[in-house]
Amino acid sequence: MTSVLRHHRYGRALGAGVLSVALLSGGTAGAFAATSTPSPKVTTTKKPMPTRTATMKPKPMPTRSATKRAMPKTAAAATTAGSITVSTTHKTVKHGEAVAFAGRVKGVKAGTVLVLQHRMNGKWTTLRTTTVVNRNGTFTIRRTFTAKGNETVRVVTKDTKVMSSPVSVKVS
C-alpha cells in the first residue's frame, strides 16, 4: 500500500485526507478534553463564498517603486500645501499695455503675499509685482510688459511653496 500512496495521484490524495482527518480529530479531542466549556456554535453565512472562475483575473498590486515614480515629491508637497489657479483675459497685448492676472487660491490664508514670476532662459525669475490674497480667496495682479515676445508667467506664494500653472501672454 505504501507504493500506491506514493506513486499515484489518488493514493496521495487519499493518504493526505486520512492524515488530515486524524490530525484534526486528535487536536479537537485534546482541546475539548482540556477545557470544561463547550466549543462555540458553528455559524453559517447567508451568502455563499464566491468561487474563482476562468474569467476572473487577479489584479496586480502596485510595487513600491511604481508608486514613488507616479507621485514625485514636488507634486506631493504642492498638493498638501494648497493650490493657485490663474488666468488672464488678454492672451495678446501690445508692449507697454497692462495685463491683469486674476485667480483663486485654496489652502492659502487671506493676506498671504503672492508674487509674479516669469520664465527667462529656462529659469523662473521673480518679478517685483506682488499682491495679497483677499478674504474670499481671490487675487488680481497687474503687470506691464515692455519687451516684445512671448511671456510665460505664474503666480507663487512669497515662500514659493505653492505655485500656479504657467500662463502665456504674447506681447507685440
Side-chain angles (χ1 to χ4, degrees):
M1 176 146 177
T2 311
S3 64
V4 171
L5 292 178
R6 284 189 187 165
H7 299 293
H8 296 291
R9 248 190 304 187
Y10 300 114
R12 276 190 244 148
L14 179 66
V18 169
L19 183 62
S20 297
V21 169
L23 289 173
L24 286 175
S25 63
T28 306
F32 184 76
T35 61
S36 62
T37 58
S39 62
K41 281 187 171 181
V42 176
T43 58
T44 59
T45 58
K46 294 182 181 181
K47 293 181 182 179
M49 295 295 289
T51 57
R52 176 169 252 167
T53 61
T55 57
M56 292 176 67
K57 294 180 183 176
K59 294 180 182 177
M61 294 297 291
T63 60
R64 185 178 180 133
S65 61
T67 56
K68 280 189 176 181
R69 276 183 264 161
M71 190 76 160
K73 289 181 181 179
T74 56
T79 313
T80 58
S83 66
I84 301 175
T85 57
V86 65
S87 63
T88 182
T89 55
H90 301 292
K91 298 288 183 184
T92 305
V93 294
K94 292 184 179 181
H95 75 291
E97 188 178 337
V99 180
F101 299 97
R104 179 174 294 277
V105 298
K106 288 185 181 179
V108 178
K109 293 181 180 180
T112 303
V113 177
L114 300 176
V115 295
L116 193 68
Q117 290 184 338
H118 75 119
R119 193 155 181 95
M120 180 179 230
N121 297 327
K123 293 184 178 183
W124 289 103
T125 307
T126 302
L127 301 171
R128 292 186 181 185
T129 309
T130 63
T131 190
V132 294
V133 177
N134 298 329
R135 285 183 292 171
N136 60 358
T138 61
F139 65 90
T140 303
I141 296 180
R142 294 189 187 279
R143 174 72 182 182
T144 302
F145 295 105
T146 55
K148 292 183 179 181
N150 286 331
E151 287 285 343
T152 304
V153 297
R154 70 180 182 183
V155 178
V156 298
T157 56
K158 194 167 186 175
D159 60 2
T160 65
K161 288 185 178 179
V162 183
M163 57 194 73
S164 71
S165 298
V167 176
S168 294
V169 176
K170 183 177 179 181
V171 181
S172 57

